[in-house]
Amino acid sequence: MLLIATGCGAPMTGTPQPGEIDVRSLDVGQYSTEPLDTYSEYAHSVRRGTALAISRLANHVVTGIDIDAKLRYGTGVQEIAKPDDVKNVLAEPGVSIAARHKMLFGFASGSSDFRAEPHMAVPPDATLTTVAVMQFPDPGSAERAAAEFEEADFSVASDQNERVQLAKHPRAHSHWRPGTPTIGSVVAHGNYVVNTFISTARPDLADLTALAEKVYTAQLPMLDTLAPLSAEQALRLDLDPEGDIRRILNPGKLDIPSVGSLAAYKLQGFLHWQTDRTAAKDLYAQGERFVFSSAYSSTTNSYTRGIAQSFGKGIGRFLDGAILIRARDIDSAQALWSKILDAPDTSQAPPRVPNSKCAELPTEGYVRDWVCAVRYRNYVGYVWSTQLQDTQQRAAAQYALLANSQ
């Protein structure tokens, strides 16, 4: 029995209890429980800076729900790390245009009113939008690139395409092919170029132009809040300025940033990777920062290029990955944790790991999918695997890593 004196001088009796468990006793399997910066020193490079710049840009790119509430489903993303990547969102001649005007980086995101499944195209009567944002060194190069992107795309079928004027955004270059339910449009905005390709169920020009205008009305103000980067500023970006990446379970000990595999986002950036953006925005509203470790691919699998349909494949998790969410405070983290896996299997919780729960998610085929969620202070970790014991060990390792990162 221990006697403890309070600030008022009155004695209190009781048996002291440890504030937290000894995480060294947890079954973490083969997984490291040490923060990233204890075994790896970050080195700046063009490749790494570009990845960080793309993640930064993604926080200021619209999703479908910013454009129209019905466009709630994500259909894919594309990172644009070099001019050659432009062919994944624009016509092939766009590669040389991007190179000539020294495009630095970009990010593209697709949305639809139809819930796409991974590797399955959406039906032809769905509405699809693709929004690509690219940053150039200065407003002049952005303006010239936008005009040339339009001319290159228009020239693909110059005898059939017609110019279109957007009343609310007259500076945009737009065109459509009468009788075809699609419209393409591009506009320069400061150092940025925004390109959108839209497909609807019917070839109605009024509907197409209205949707294109909604894209710009939502997107351009977002870019006004993001200062452009010079090539040197992108190179000098730090991997983990807020100290969150160091805390995520990192089975492969990755230390090279990648937009889907080692990156941190605000809620806006995180939503690009979610299939149902409306549901995700509500579920994860308590989150301030979202970290990936081997979580998602930086590009969407596709058999077509340069058109909205190429994004109609859905977004799937990598088999080996983790997500870490930083909430505002402990209460916010508790509220978030309680929503994730709202029907867990209590028998599957990792042994002796506080604030943890697991469940097996329904899947098709032979691969099984177990997921676990853990909470430590104001952090919530989300891990998964194809074996229950492995998932439990990952959850225990994530909890221990959070404790060791304080």
Side-chain angles (χ1 to χ4, degrees), residues 354-373:
N355 300 310
S356 65
K357 54 185 174 180
C358 302
E360 182 178 2
L361 300 185
T363 59
E364 296 181 2
Y366 299 101
V367 177
R368 303 181 74 173
D369 186 15
W370 278 278
V371 295
C372 292

Side-chain angles (χ1 to χ4, degrees), residues 36 42-53 55 79 237-240 245 254-265 292:
L36 175 63
Y42 182 69
H44 295 279
S45 70
V46 172
R47 174 189 173 188
R48 297 177 183 195
T50 298
L52 293 171
S55 296
E79 71 168 341
L237 289 173
D238 290 327
L239 172 66
D240 196 18
I245 291 178
L254 302 173
D255 61 0
I256 298 177
S258 172
V259 296
S261 294
L262 191 64
Y265 295 96
F292 293 164

